[in-house]
Amino acid sequence: ANLVLHQTVERIHVGKKYGDIPRGIFVVRGENVVLLGEIDLEKESDTPLQQVSIEEILEEQRVEQQAKQESEKLKVQALKERGLSVPRADTLDEY
């Protein structure tokens, strides 16, 4: 069955912080639905996470992604120095 979701919110987690981005109405094709559940609002308020503004969480996410990219570059460079190479994901053949 297809789902029509009203007043949807995208929640982005970075470390112990999170931010909610209002997204509106979404239609999800039934073949893409794996799990559906409801959030218990009483338990949600007991989480140790800190809610921050949309701008702050997006900046935190950008910084985290940059750190991951730098780490990946260092890993690839270390492998090259040892005579190994890692194929990039965009150069792999699709089956």
Side-chain angles (χ1 to χ4, degrees):
N2 296 332
L3 299 176
V4 177
L5 305 173
H6 178 64
Q7 295 180 343
T8 57
V9 176
E10 178 182 0
R11 179 165 286 181
I12 298 175
H13 294 266
V14 178
K16 297 269 185 191
K17 298 179 182 178
Y18 74 92
D20 291 341
I21 302 173
R23 295 295 185 186
I25 295 176
F26 268 83
V27 177
V28 183
R29 287 178 55 110
E31 63 190 31
N32 296 314
V33 177
V34 177
L35 179 67
L36 175 66
E38 187 175 345
I39 295 175
D40 185 349
L41 295 176
E42 291 176 13
K43 288 186 179 181
E44 183 184 27
S45 63
D46 294 338
T47 64
L49 300 175
Q50 173 191 5
Q51 185 173 8
V52 296
S53 69
I54 295 171
E55 294 80 16
E56 187 176 341
I57 198 65
L58 290 175
E59 178 63 21
E60 293 270 344
Q61 185 182 43
R62 187 189 63 76
V63 168
E64 183 181 62
Q65 288 173 345
Q66 270 186 329
K68 284 182 182 180
Q69 287 176 347
E70 289 298 320
S71 173
E72 189 63 30
K73 284 181 186 177
L74 291 174
K75 195 183 321 181
V76 168
Q77 182 179 0
L79 288 172
K80 281 184 181 178
E81 290 172 357
R82 291 172 176 81
L84 302 170
S85 66
V86 178
R88 294 187 352 220
D90 60 348
T91 62
L92 296 176
D93 292 335
E94 293 185 20
Y95 295 99

